[in-house]
Amino acid sequence: MDHDDHVRLIRGGVEGAGTTWADLGSGSGAFTLALADLLGPAGTIHAVDRDGAALRAQAEAIGRRFPRTTLHQYHADFTKPLDLPTLDGVVMANSLHFVRDKLPVLALVRGYLGPAGRLVLVEYDAEHGNPWVPYPISAGRWPSLAAAAGFEDIRELTRVPSRFLGAIYSAMADSGARP
C-alpha cells in the first residue's frame, strides 16, 4: 500500500468531520500522513504510539510533507487512559488488532470524541490472526463490536486487497453522544 491507498481508506470518514483528530497506534505515521493530507493546514493531530523511534520518524515526515499541520505526539499506550482534548475523530489503523479485549479500549476512544465525533477503523478482514495480526476484526464482526461499545451509524467505507489475510477494509462509526 502507498500514501494514496492510505488516504483512500480513511477519506470517507475524515472529510467533513472537523479538524482535531487522533491517530491511536500511529507507528511511524503512514495514516498520520494520510490524515494530515485530508485535514489540510488547519488540522491538528494527536499521534499516540509506544515506540519513540517511530514517533520521531513520524514527526520528521510530517514536518517535511505537511509542515503547517499541528502535530502533538504522545509516547504512550493507547489502551490506557490518555489526556487528550475533545476530538472530532480518531483513526485506528492496524492498531486495534493488537488488543485482545477490545471493548474497554473502544469505550476509552468513544470518551475522547465530541458529540459528532467519528471513529475510523482500518483493519484486516479476517476472523483468525497470525503472529503479526493477532486479533483481527472482520468486517462482518465490526458492526456488533462497535455497537456494543455505544457507537452508532456503523458502516464500511472501502477496502483494498492485501497479500496478508486477503483484504484491508475501513469502516466508520459515530460516537453516539448527544450534545
Side-chain angles (χ1 to χ4, degrees):
M1 284 200 325
D2 63 17
H3 180 74
D4 290 337
D5 291 322
H6 300 142
V7 169
R8 187 170 57 253
L9 278 164
I10 66 172
R11 179 186 310 278
V14 173
E15 287 185 333
T19 59
T20 304
W21 282 69
D23 184 357
L24 303 183
S26 62
S28 58
F31 284 91
T32 312
L33 288 164
L35 195 52
D37 199 351
L38 290 166
L39 295 177
T44 299
I45 301 171
H46 299 267
V48 179
D49 203 90
R50 295 186 304 185
D51 183 342
L55 289 169
R56 286 188 293 282
Q58 175 192 106
E60 289 174 17
I62 290 284
R64 194 172 47 256
R65 294 191 56 195
F66 301 101
R68 294 177 53 205
T69 297
T70 301
L71 177 66
H72 301 283
Q73 294 184 310
Y74 304 78
H75 186 199
D77 181 347
F78 69 80
T79 68
K80 310 277 190 252
L82 300 165
D83 186 19
L84 295 172
T86 300
L87 300 167
D88 297 316
V90 169
V91 169
M92 296 188 81
N94 298 324
S95 58
L96 196 55
H97 61 230
F98 291 106
V99 178
R100 182 188 300 265
D101 189 8
K102 294 168 181 24
L103 278 177
V105 173
L106 289 171
L108 282 173
V109 170
R110 189 168 170 260
Y112 302 139
L113 294 169
R118 290 183 183 165
L119 169 59
V120 176
L121 177 78
V122 177
E123 186 55 69
Y124 287 94
D125 190 6
E127 286 295 330
H128 303 287
N130 60 39
W132 301 274
V133 181
Y135 312 109
I137 309 156
S138 69
R141 194 162 49 95
W142 170 244
S144 61
L145 180 62
F151 288 95
E152 298 177 354
D153 195 17
I154 303 152
R155 61 190 181 276
E156 186 172 324
L157 297 169
T158 192
R159 60 181 46 238
V160 296
S162 172
R163 57 189 173 149
F164 308 106
L165 301 176
I168 294 176
Y169 71 96
S170 61
M172 65 168 279
D174 292 334
S175 68
R178 299 289 177 244

